[in-house]
Amino acid sequence: MSKVMEHHGVVIVGGGPAGLAAAIAAYEAGQHDVLVLERDVQLGGILNQCIHNGFGLHTFKEELTGPEYAARFIQKAQELDIACRLGTMVLDISPERVVTTVSAADGIRTIAADAVVLAMGCRERPRGALATPGYRPAGVYSAGTAQRLVNIEGQMPGREVVILGSGDIGLIMARRMTLEGAHVVCVAEVMPYSGGLKRNIVQCLDDFGIPLLLSHTVVDVEGKDRVEAVSIAEVDERMRPIPGTEVRYPCDTLMLSVGLLPENELSRAAGVELSPVTRGPIVDQSLQTSIPGVFACGNVLHVHDLVDFVSQEAAEAGAQAAHFSMAKDAQDGAAERGVPVVATDGVRYTVPSFVDPQKMADKLTVRFRVANEYCDRYVSVYYDDERVQHRKKRVMAPGEMEQVVLKREDLLAREGLAQITVKLEEE
Amino acid sequence: MATEIRELICINCPMGCPLTVTLEDGEVVSVTGNTCPRGDAYGRKEVTNPRRIVTTTVPVVGSKTEHMVSVKTKTDIPKDKIFDVVFALKEVKAQAPLEIGDVVLANVAGTGVDVIATKRA
Ligand SMILES: Cc1cc2nc3c(=O)[nH]c(=O)nc-3n(C[C@H](O)[C@H](O)[C@H](O)COP(=O)(O)OP(=O)(O)OC[C@H]3O[C@@H](n4cnc5c(N)ncnc54)[C@H](O)[C@@H]3O)c2cc1C
Ligand code: SF4
């Protein structure tokens, strides 16, 4: 038992786009002892199954497919000779940053880390979200599972398909199934608007004449062993099905695209404080969680729809983790959380939730999502009672992430600042 | 003279402006509803020559890691050829090793566009 525990400067949990960008940035910030832990047998995360184009428009000014976007970061990590341990699942992270892993090759191992970056991504909301009575026959898939079956395994989940939920994965799968020869009967969405990107509605539904039924939901699933039909009804403003509006659609497959949840079992067990809104860690300007030296980025922090923003955010987390790991003396003090950023009046949440003006960079991007579809609203930032930003946006929707930029000099100029508020205003 | 009116959504930015394109005898005479010139250009192209990049997968033989390899048309192809492209690819089995950008099927469905691998296999 006298073996010395394995030790690394920055340990990154997850080798998707967030983990890769964090690893590269940590290396470039001067910390060369970086280790990436990935449970899958390959790097790239969810991008491996996202074979459609539309990635990297902001970063590379071209439309890449998911695997191509991932490959650019994988190659960069290889050029820097960053250690990546595949087939290695992280089981536990302690508040002292001891990471426990398991793999077929090495069994159980413990690794001490000066800094940890959480980059575990997200998972789909389970089908329990489908509040229908009756059996649970075969043929009900989450859209992401179906995507993996078709694109990685080369198997077709079914031939007559109804999709519930118009998030991007549902829209992308409507097109994918159509191209593979299936018939997509319709996409039903309980909200009066789609949570997906406009370009996906046009290119995945309109191009193929697939109807999008807004304010509709599945009220019944028929079939004992295999789905035989689903019934869809219109809903009222309070999202209750309206009696008499049911229509029965024969089908063999029901796909659910009802949202994503950050994958935070590990964070929770480590004692990281989580936000009830994003379900991800509450972080400060350095993307540091409530545990000093533990940082978070990508979909584990809050669900992103554009991978470019994941990469940007993760690069920041990686660099901050590197600084933390190299500034040993600054470590482990009680985390000073800085000025709280409050989201209100149509702004659902902000990342980060705290800003320490002393420690922030010259400019800090605060990302947020709005609660509803809005036209001609102003995005306002208040420092205490003083309005410092007021910018009109023609259209905002919950499906698209928004941002404001805070300047360090402005914050430093206001000594004793107690609260930063981000909200929407009509004028 | 035949007048046709087409309703579209501009997809060039998150604004998603609703466009109304008016055609006379197949010629675009006006685009309205756009907020910026990109919407005008999109509307004209979308009704006269809509094009798309097609992405799909084909089986791959001889790869240690993959059963399927993801592919795309190297550039966009006419929208009405999407299914021709997909059908042409149904016959294709790719041979490993493959690098990103390797041609999997040249001049797919007579479009003059190659289909290339988007993943190593
Ligand atoms: C279907 C779909 C379509 C999308 N389309 C687009 C698009 O068109 N354009 C665009 O820009 N963006 C798109 N996105 C968004 C973008 O792909 C994601 O936001 C991005 O991939 C998130 O990156 P991530 O690294 O945070 O998570 P992931 O890619 O999910 O990576 C997380 C990684 O962590 C690993 N992991 C998790 N837990 C553990 C553990 N305990 N131990 C070890 N490893 C672990 C996982 O195996 C995984 O590899 C899409 C997303 C989806 C799901
Ligand atoms: S017309 Fe201009 S502003 Fe409107 S969606 Fe298109 S690109 Fe955006």
Side-chain angles (χ1 to χ4, degrees):
Chain A
M1 290 304 289
S2 63
K3 231 169 57 183
V4 180
M5 201 192 291
E6 182 181 350
H7 174 270
H8 295 283
V10 175
V11 169
I12 293 169
V13 187
L20 289 166
I24 293 164
Y27 187 97
E28 288 177 341
Q31 174 54 270
H32 293 183
D33 182 15
V34 179
L35 175 66
V36 177
L37 302 169
E38 169 56 55
R39 66 180 169 196
D40 202 345
V41 293
Q42 58 181 343
L43 296 167
I46 197 83
L47 293 181
N48 286 311
Q49 67 184 64
C50 297
I51 63 159
H52 59 281
N53 59 309
F55 296 84
L57 270 171
H58 294 257
T59 314
F60 298 113
K61 305 283 174 263
E62 55 180 314
E63 280 197 43
L64 301 173
T65 64
E68 290 172 306
Y69 186 92
R72 303 222 170 168
F73 286 84
I74 295 170
Q75 194 186 344
K76 180 86 201 220
Q78 278 167 352
E79 280 165 17
L80 297 176
D81 221 3
I82 292 172
C84 297
R85 214 167 274 168
L86 302 179
T88 303
M89 167 112 166
V90 174
L91 296 176
D92 183 65
I93 304 166
S94 81
E96 296 74 35
R97 301 186 301 273
V98 174
V99 178
T100 308
T101 66
V102 63
S103 69
D106 295 331
I108 293 197
R109 278 176 102 143
T110 49
I111 304 166
D114 290 332
V116 171
V117 179
L118 305 174
M120 290 91 77
C122 60
R123 61 186 160 75
E124 291 175 285
R125 271 180 208 273
R127 65 194 248 187
L130 184 66
T132 57
Y135 294 101
R136 285 283 181 266
V140 182
Y141 294 88
S142 72
T145 304
Q147 188 180 45
R148 196 180 165 83
L149 269 181
V150 178
N151 292 346
I152 309 270
E153 316 289 339
Q155 289 172 22
M156 276 294 275
R159 293 277 150 202
E160 277 290 310
V161 186
V162 167
I163 299 178
L164 175 62
S166 63
D168 287 311
I169 318 181
L171 300 176
I172 296 281
M173 282 311 290
R175 173 175 63 187
R176 190 74 191 105
M177 294 298 287
T178 307
L179 290 182
E180 286 295 322
H183 175 232
V184 178
V185 183
C186 64
V187 176
E189 168 61 58
V190 72
M191 304 300 282
Y193 51 82
S194 164
L197 299 170
K198 287 263 166 33
R199 56 175 285 131
N200 284 339
I201 294 177
V202 172
Q203 298 198 349
C204 299
L205 301 187
D206 298 355
D207 273 8
F208 302 98
I210 300 168
L212 172 61
L213 308 176
L214 296 173
S215 298
H216 278 73
T217 195
V218 169
V219 290
D220 190 32
V221 181
E222 284 173 51
K224 229 172 166 176
D225 301 322
R226 174 89 200 187
V227 175
E228 285 164 14
V230 302
S231 295
I232 293 179
E234 208 176 321
V235 298
D236 61 21
E237 318 79 68
R238 295 168 64 189
M239 284 195 270
R240 287 172 314 198
I242 303 171
T245 62
E246 300 86 4
V247 177
R248 181 175 180 277
Y249 297 93
C251 61
D252 59 19
T253 304
L254 172 62
M255 249 177 229
L256 307 176
S257 175
V258 290
L260 300 165
L261 290 175
E263 172 104 44
N264 273 297
E265 279 64 33
L266 280 175
S267 327
R268 192 175 296 115
V272 167
E273 194 185 336
L274 300 180
S275 153
V277 182
T278 61
R279 313 272 195 116
I282 293 176
V283 295
D284 65 15
Q285 73 289 333
S286 311
L287 302 173
Q288 181 170 233
T289 68
S290 60
I291 299 184
V294 177
F295 299 79
C297 55
N299 278 353
V300 80
L301 178 55
H302 57 145
V303 174
H304 292 66
D305 26 49
L306 286 181
V307 72
D308 305 76
F309 296 151
V310 171
S311 302
Q312 284 170 21
E313 183 179 275
E316 182 63 24
Q320 295 289 347
H323 295 318
F324 185 94
S325 70
M326 293 182 296
K328 287 256 159 77
D329 50 332
Q331 276 185 31
D332 293 326
E336 272 291 335
R337 305 237 68 182
V339 183
V341 185
V342 174
T344 180
D345 297 295
V347 177
R348 281 185 59 227
Y349 71 83
T350 64
V351 168
S353 309
F354 292 93
V355 176
D356 184 337
Q358 300 297 336
K359 293 184 186 156
M360 72 187 277
D362 289 342
K363 281 185 181 161
L364 177 73
T365 303
V366 175
R367 302 188 204 281
F368 64 92
R369 280 188 194 268
V370 297
N372 221 316
E373 275 199 329
Y374 300 101
C375 287
D376 294 326
R377 291 291 164 98
Y378 290 87
V379 175
S380 300
V381 179
Y382 284 76
Y383 293 158
D384 291 330
D385 294 330
E386 181 192 352
R387 186 163 77 193
V388 292
Q389 283 188 40
H390 192 54
R391 184 170 46 97
K392 190 169 178 177
K393 288 275 295 185
R394 286 282 311 275
V395 183
M396 283 181 281
E400 319 241 358
M401 200 178 279
E402 302 287 340
Q403 64 180 52
V404 290
V405 176
L406 307 184
K407 289 208 193 99
R408 181 165 188 252
E409 54 183 350
D410 294 353
L411 288 163
L412 285 176
R414 289 173 176 79
E415 218 175 306
L417 178 65
Q419 177 175 314
I420 299 166
T421 309
V422 183
K423 63 170 148 184
L424 302 187
E425 291 179 315
E426 281 182 43
E427 54 194 45
Chain B
M1 201 163 59
T3 304
E4 194 193 339
I5 293 182
R6 300 267 300 271
E7 310 277 347
L8 306 171
I9 298 171
C10 178
I11 59 169
N12 282 304
C13 90
M15 293 264 305
C17 298
L19 306 179
T20 305
V21 184
T22 309
L23 296 108
E24 257 158 35
D25 294 327
E27 294 276 323
V28 177
V29 290
S30 75
V31 179
T32 55
N34 56 306
T35 308
C36 80
R38 283 195 296 164
D40 186 279
Y42 172 82
R44 284 170 196 277
K45 188 168 175 206
E46 188 63 17
V47 297
T48 50
N49 180 21
R51 297 177 76 89
R52 299 286 186 266
I53 285 179
V54 178
T55 61
T56 184
T57 50
V58 298
V60 58
V61 285
S63 167
K64 280 199 209 81
T65 48
E66 320 286 330
H67 309 287
M68 306 295 290
V69 64
S70 51
V71 299
K72 71 174 181 187
T73 53
K74 192 168 181 195
T75 58
D76 50 16
I77 54 118
K79 186 179 141 189
D80 60 11
K81 294 267 186 186
I82 291 176
F83 279 101
D84 295 346
V85 168
V86 172
F87 287 132
L89 283 166
K90 288 259 182 282
E91 310 298 318
V92 174
K93 267 195 168 59
Q95 181 70 49
L98 276 175
E99 291 295 328
I100 290 177
D102 283 359
V103 175
V104 168
L105 182 61
N107 184 17
V108 61
T111 55
V113 174
D114 294 344
V115 173
I116 58 174
T118 57
K119 195 165 199 278
R120 290 178 81 161

